[in-house]
């Protein structure tokens, strides 16, 4: 991918609401070039979505998130793809990764409460034939996600004027 | 016996006030113009400040962590006066790799308490009372006062926006007298953001040579150049022995509060500076030295990321000033823009005071940096993109208001 696209991606990752004009000024190119590059990346699904990183623990109805280690038997011809799909299509599943090491899939599940997540594991996930075992870990607190620190302390300690 | 003592008391001249105890040099020293502005801005929560002369990044975590670990290990002693040998070694290697200048860590490198101490040591080691010290202006605020303290005579050389505030050989020549001894340069420049390329230095080097000058080259912003790599004066033919290279970790590695700097020069010069250094501060703090070592060994990538971020903000602020209609030369180094506010009819001082009071943006009036600074404003873009955008917006509205009266 071009260097320009990389730089645009980095700037959008910091703040997805930055305008093409602002990015163009920061990178010393025209706004048209920026718009074109962004359009191409959207087309190619390099940019998948512009989403908000929210700190849900600040919202009243608190959610419960669990990471589940899943061991599965791969299918002949399709490997892990089919099973992974059967799992990630559930809306309560927020992310699914194929992992190296002691288990195969790492599944992030979100629910309104503990019971809901437990019920997902026992009624949806475990009954899948290929699933051999699951281990569920509940997340107690998020400190940092996607490079973003959730509760950053006031960061500018500098004097307002210095030589 | 008693009689004698009384006699002596009677002949002692009493000082009328505490100030009378002060040395003339300390008494006549002017407080920094920045200080006055600081008092105006201090304590105001609503302001956006473009007045800060330091990075907005916190020292990278791996550097801070290295220092914490060294404290846990009990590294709390003096180091050798010149600084830890491995740090000097690493500084030598770094300067060679980055700027193509070779210094012997054993004899030609001295670790100091910030670049500021290095400047002080160099001036004190060189000045005989009456010597003239040439200082291109606008420039960092400390050179002239320290010169005067040693009995030297600072001689300002004005530089101009139309030359991108570069030092020109003609102006240098015009300022030279038989008493001229030292030239103090700071490129990339605080406050103008101006730089000197190899071609810019060549004619200057010739004048230095012809007039047997020695140069203190403050290269603290060397890592912060945009578009072209920094050229150290010491890397020019014949200039190494005539140059005292001063630099440090503050700007490149976001380590201002650590006060870590260094000086590189001919062994005769360094050993004189080392004597003053050992009697005044003994050695730079070991915690800072350990951190500096980590920064040099593992911090160069992080530094490149910071430079890229400054570059993006630089374009933003320059573009912003030009849109507003304030002339702004393209700063190619450091993290300052130095726009002209002459179009508004206000002096630097008036403009920045009113900007602070009426638009809640702090920036430093250019006149505090010496001749050539009047009519300009030093704006640091070492601040977040959102703050910069907001500051430019406020300045724009303020200037519009001035125009419509």
């Amino acid at each position: 991918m071009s260097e320009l696209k990389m730089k645009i991606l980095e700037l959008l990752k910091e703040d997805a609401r930055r305008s093409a004009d602002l990015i163009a000024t920061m990178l010393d190119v025209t706004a048209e070039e920026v718009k074109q590059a962004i359009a191409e990346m959207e087309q190619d699904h390099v940019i998948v979505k512009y989403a908000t990183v929210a700190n849900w623990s600040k919202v009243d109805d608190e959610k419960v998130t669990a990471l589940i280690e899943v061991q599965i038997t791969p299918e002949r011809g399709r490997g892990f793809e089919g099973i992974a799909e059967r799992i990630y299509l559930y809306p309560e599943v927020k992310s699914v990764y194929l992992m190296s090491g002691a288990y195969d899939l790492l599944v992030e599940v979100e629910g309104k409460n503990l019971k809901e997540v437990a019920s997902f594991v026992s009624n949806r996930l475990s009954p899948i034939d290929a699933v051999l075992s699951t281990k569920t870990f509940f997340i107690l607190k998020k400190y940092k996600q996607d490079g973003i620190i959730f509760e950053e302390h006031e960061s500018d300690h500098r004097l307002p004027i210095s030589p | 016996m008693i009689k004698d003592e009384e006699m002596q008391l009677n002949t002692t001249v009493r000082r009328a006030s505490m100030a009378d105890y002060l040395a003339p040099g300390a008494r006549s020293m002017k407080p920094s113009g920045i200080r006055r502005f600081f008092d105006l801005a201090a304590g105001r929560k609503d302001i956006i400040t473009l007045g800060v002369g330091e990075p907005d990044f916190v020292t990278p975590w791996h550097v801070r962590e290295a220092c914490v670990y060294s404290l846990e290990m009990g590294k709390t002693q003096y180091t050798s006066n010149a600084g830890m040998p491995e740090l000097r070694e690493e500084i030598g290697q770094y300067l060679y790799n980055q700027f193509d200048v070779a210094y012997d860590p054993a004899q030609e490198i001295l670790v100091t308490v910030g670049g500021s101490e290095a400047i002080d040591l160099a001036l004190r080691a060189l000045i005989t009372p009456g010597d003239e010290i040439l200082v291109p202006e606008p420039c960092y605020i400390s050179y002239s006062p320290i010169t005067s303290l040693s009995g030297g005579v600072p001689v300002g050389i004005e530089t101009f926006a139309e030359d991108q505030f570069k030092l020109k050989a003609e102006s240098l020549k015009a300022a030279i007298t038989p008493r001229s001894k030292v030239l103090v340069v700071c490129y990339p420049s605080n406050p103008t953001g101006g730089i000197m390329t190899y071609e810019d230095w060549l004619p200057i080097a010739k004048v230095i040579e012809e007039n047997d000058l020695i140069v203190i080259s403050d290269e603290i912003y060397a890592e912060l150049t945009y578009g072209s790599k920094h050229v150290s004066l010491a890397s020019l033919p014949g200039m190494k022995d005539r140059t005292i290279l001063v630099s440090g970790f503050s700007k490149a590695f976001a380590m201002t509060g650590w006060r870590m700097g260094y000086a590189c020069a001919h062994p005769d010069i360094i050993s004189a500076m080392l004597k003053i250094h050992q009697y005044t501060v003994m050695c730079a703090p070991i915690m800072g030295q350990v951190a500096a070592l980590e920064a040099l060994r593992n911090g160069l990538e992080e530094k490149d990321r910071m430079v890229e971020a400054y570059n993006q903000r630089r374009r933003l602020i320059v573009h912003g000033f030009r849109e507003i209609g304030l002339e702004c030369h393209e700063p190619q180094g450091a993290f300052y823009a130095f726009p002209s506010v002459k179009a508004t009819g206000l002096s630097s001082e008036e403009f920045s005071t009113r900007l602070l009071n009426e638009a809640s943006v702090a920036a430093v009036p250019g006149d505090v940096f010496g001749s050539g600074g009047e009519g300009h404003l030093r704006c640091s873009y070492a601040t977040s993109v959102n703050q910069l955008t907001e500051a430019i917006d406020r300045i724009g509205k303020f200037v519009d208001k001035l125009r419509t009266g």
Side-chain angles (χ1 to χ4, degrees):
Chain A
M1 200 165 57
S2 74
E3 197 188 336
L4 176 64
K5 283 182 179 171
M6 282 302 285
K7 286 189 172 169
I8 292 173
L9 271 186
E10 279 163 20
L11 290 178
L12 285 176
K13 193 171 180 326
E14 282 169 20
D15 183 353
R17 297 198 301 173
R18 281 177 177 158
S19 69
D21 283 334
L22 178 74
I23 294 173
T25 308
M26 289 173 75
L27 298 179
D28 199 21
V29 292
T30 65
E32 278 60 46
E33 285 175 87
V34 173
K35 284 178 188 155
Q36 173 73 24
I38 291 178
E40 280 174 26
M41 288 191 287
E42 287 170 350
Q43 190 89 47
D44 299 342
H45 279 261
V46 171
I47 294 177
V48 182
K49 203 166 193 165
Y50 302 95
T52 300
V53 180
N55 185 353
W56 289 104
S57 71
K58 296 222 168 177
V59 182
D60 278 346
D61 60 315
E62 242 183 74
K63 297 178 178 189
V64 177
T65 311
L67 294 177
I68 309 169
E69 297 177 1
V70 186
Q71 275 188 313
I72 53 179
T73 318
E75 294 172 297
R76 177 181 288 270
R78 293 193 70 195
F80 297 98
E81 306 300 305
I83 315 289
E85 188 179 347
R86 285 191 62 180
I87 296 172
Y88 69 61
L89 284 175
Y90 285 108
E92 49 268 63
V93 172
K94 295 302 162 191
S95 52
V96 176
Y97 306 95
L98 179 63
M99 310 293 288
S100 66
Y103 59 94
D104 304 302
L105 297 178
L106 182 65
V107 179
E108 186 185 356
V109 177
E110 208 172 76
K112 284 201 195 75
N113 49 45
L114 215 99
K115 226 166 99 185
E116 205 176 270
V117 174
S119 137
F120 174 82
V121 176
S122 54
N123 297 326
R124 306 281 190 215
L125 194 57
S126 297
I128 298 172
D129 277 346
V131 170
L132 297 174
S133 75
T134 63
K135 268 190 203 167
T136 305
F137 304 89
F138 285 97
I139 292 175
L140 302 181
K141 184 173 180 180
K142 263 188 199 172
Y143 294 99
K144 187 178 185 181
Q145 181 186 316
D146 295 334
I148 299 160
I149 295 173
F150 271 43
E151 284 176 26
E152 199 129 37
H153 322 288
E154 202 202 335
S155 53
D156 200 343
H157 301 288
R158 301 177 299 167
L159 300 170
I161 306 275
S162 55
Chain B
M1 280 304 280
I2 294 168
K3 271 237 149 79
D4 275 1
E5 268 177 30
E6 273 176 1
M7 286 279 289
Q8 234 172 349
L9 273 179
N10 289 339
T11 54
T12 305
V13 180
R14 294 272 147 190
R15 293 171 182 86
S17 75
M18 291 310 288
D20 290 338
Y21 285 94
L22 294 173
R27 213 179 318 173
S28 64
M29 195 179 249
K30 285 199 208 89
S32 142
I34 282 185
R35 181 73 221 175
R36 200 187 74 77
F37 225 73
F38 175 84
D39 293 338
L40 285 178
R44 288 201 35 193
K45 287 277 175 221
D46 57 323
I47 60 166
I48 294 180
T49 177
L50 306 179
V52 190
E54 63 179 318
D56 62 323
F57 299 99
V58 175
T59 308
W61 174 241
H62 69 100
V63 175
R64 287 184 276 157
E65 203 275 337
C67 172
V68 170
Y69 179 69
S70 79
L71 286 175
E72 285 174 354
M73 289 294 100
K75 285 201 182 173
T76 58
Q77 298 75 17
Y78 293 131
T79 70
S80 89
N81 294 128
M84 285 159 45
E86 58 269 47
L87 176 58
R88 279 181 279 145
E89 198 77 49
E90 208 66 52
I91 290 169
Q93 195 60 49
Y94 160 81
L95 288 174
Y96 182 72
N97 293 344
Q98 299 292 110
F99 307 115
D100 205 22
V101 286
Y103 287 101
D104 173 10
Q107 297 185 75
E108 297 181 323
I109 300 178
L110 169 63
V111 178
T112 57
V113 181
S116 304
E117 192 213 348
I119 292 162
D120 181 30
L121 293 177
L123 285 168
R124 281 203 272 175
L126 295 175
I127 292 175
T128 311
D131 285 345
E132 289 181 356
I133 312 304
L134 304 156
V135 188
E137 292 176 340
C139 71
Y140 182 61
I141 54 174
S142 85
Y143 309 134
S144 295
I146 298 179
T147 296
S148 305
L149 206 53
S150 288
V153 182
V155 177
I157 304 175
E158 191 170 344
T159 61
F160 303 93
E162 51 268 36
D163 302 325
Q164 287 96 49
F165 295 99
K166 292 172 189 294
L167 175 60
K168 292 289 179 181
E170 311 82 70
S171 343
L172 175 58
K173 268 190 222 160
I176 289 173
T177 74
R179 314 199 71 161
S180 306
K181 183 175 190 183
V182 186
L183 169 67
V184 185
V185 290
C186 174
Y187 292 100
S189 159
N190 173 10
T192 68
I195 63 164
M196 293 284 280
T197 63
Y198 190 86
E199 287 70 30
D200 295 328
W201 276 131
L202 269 179
I204 301 294
K206 198 163 157 255
V207 179
I208 292 168
E209 183 77 48
E210 284 167 1
N211 292 277
D212 197 30
L213 298 175
I214 186 158
V215 186
I216 299 173
S217 182
D218 181 351
E219 302 183 15
I220 191 78
Y221 291 97
E223 287 286 1
L224 309 185
T225 58
Y226 313 103
S228 64
K229 213 167 156 50
H230 170 71
V231 177
S232 172
L233 177 62
S235 70
L236 270 87
M239 281 299 112
K240 191 189 154 195
D241 281 352
R242 292 193 175 274
T243 305
I244 301 175
L245 190 164
V246 169
S247 191
F249 296 84
S250 295
K251 317 294 177 177
F253 299 95
M255 291 179 65
T256 44
W258 299 80
R259 312 307 305 124
M260 287 303 302
Y262 51 88
C264 307
H266 188 277
D268 291 350
I269 306 276
I270 286 294
S271 59
M273 289 170 64
L274 178 61
K275 276 191 282 181
I276 307 173
H277 173 77
Q278 77 186 25
Y279 288 128
T280 50
V281 306
M282 188 81 97
C283 66
I286 188 168
M287 295 84 88
Q289 294 195 48
V290 170
L293 190 58
E294 170 66 21
L296 286 180
R297 284 186 177 158
N298 300 309
L300 295 182
E301 244 174 69
E302 187 90 13
K303 176 215 73 190
D304 291 341
R305 267 196 292 279
M306 293 193 259
V307 174
E308 174 63 25
Y310 288 136
N311 195 7
Q312 293 169 355
R313 300 164 188 186
R314 176 184 71 105
R315 292 172 183 142
L316 199 63
I317 198 168
V318 172
H319 177 83
F321 283 125
R322 288 178 181 167
E323 292 273 288
I324 291 169
L326 296 180
E327 248 177 74
C328 186
H329 82 105
E330 174 103 18
Q332 290 179 296
F335 41 57
Y336 306 105
F338 204 58
S340 164
V341 296
K342 287 173 189 159
T344 66
L346 299 181
S347 71
S348 299
E349 180 78 28
E350 288 167 336
F351 187 94
S352 34
T353 309
R354 286 186 59 181
L355 183 67
L356 181 63
N357 292 334
E358 295 169 35
S360 300
V361 176
V364 183
D367 59 307
V368 308
F369 301 100
S371 56
E374 176 49 51
H376 292 266
L377 203 60
R378 190 195 74 172
C379 299
S380 160
Y381 49 83
T383 192
S384 73
V385 172
N386 288 344
Q387 293 263 296
L388 274 183
T389 316
E390 173 65 23
I392 289 164
D393 195 51
R394 291 186 190 181
I395 297 171
K397 286 183 183 139
F398 172 70
V399 171
D400 277 349
K401 203 177 70 184
L402 287 178
R403 284 206 184 104
T404 54

